Amino acid sequence: MKQPTICPKFEKAISLLSQRWTTLVIYQLLLGPQRFNEIQTSIGISGKVLSDRLKELENQGVVKREVIPETPVIIKYSLTEKGQSMEPILKTIENWSQTWIKLESELSSN
């Protein structure tokens, strides 16, 4: 019997989303446009990794980088329409995790 093949587009999507921190960055940006430091502080990611993830997401058309010409210059990141379209997926994962994922503290109290 022939094994079914995985759709190349699905494989690429999973590859992008499975990079460490990527999904958390997208999830954080669902709250609205944010500055680099706001994202970094909220999820506890190193500046180098966050910079790499934001560049990759920008290249993939998921994140938009907006430069606001003030003194000092303000840079905000937000989700594009493509990025916003991930909201139902991430909310479904959030709901699933609330039901099925146990934290260490919950495991030790049982």
Side-chain angles (χ1 to χ4, degrees):
M1 184 162 118
K2 184 179 177 188
Q3 286 284 1
T5 59
I6 296 176
C7 171
K9 289 183 179 184
F10 177 80
E11 189 174 355
K12 185 171 181 172
I14 292 299
S15 176
L16 173 67
L17 294 174
S18 65
Q19 289 181 11
R20 185 156 186 179
W21 302 104
T22 297
T23 307
L24 291 176
V25 170
I26 295 168
Y27 186 79
Q28 184 63 31
L29 287 173
L30 285 172
L31 299 173
Q34 296 178 43
R35 296 174 73 168
F36 187 93
N37 287 341
E38 293 173 303
I39 302 167
Q40 183 179 19
T41 302
S42 65
I43 61 178
I45 183 174
S46 78
K48 165 89 170 88
V49 174
L50 178 57
S51 178
D52 291 346
R53 294 303 171 263
L54 288 169
K55 285 177 189 171
E56 173 67 20
L57 290 168
E58 190 177 5
N59 289 338
Q60 294 294 326
V62 173
V63 167
K64 177 178 72 173
R65 180 179 186 265
E66 180 183 5
V67 178
I68 301 166
E70 294 183 4
T71 304
V73 172
I74 296 173
I75 299 173
K76 287 201 170 191
Y77 296 90
S78 60
L79 294 175
T80 62
E81 182 180 354
K82 183 177 180 180
Q84 285 288 338
S85 71
M86 292 184 201
E87 183 173 16
I89 298 162
L90 297 179
K91 293 296 183 180
T92 299
I93 293 170
E94 178 183 37
N95 291 335
W96 177 86
S97 72
Q98 295 302 313
T99 303
W100 296 103
I101 300 298
K102 302 286 186 213
L103 299 176
E104 288 296 320
S105 59
E106 295 170 316
L107 293 174
S108 62
S109 66
N110 288 335

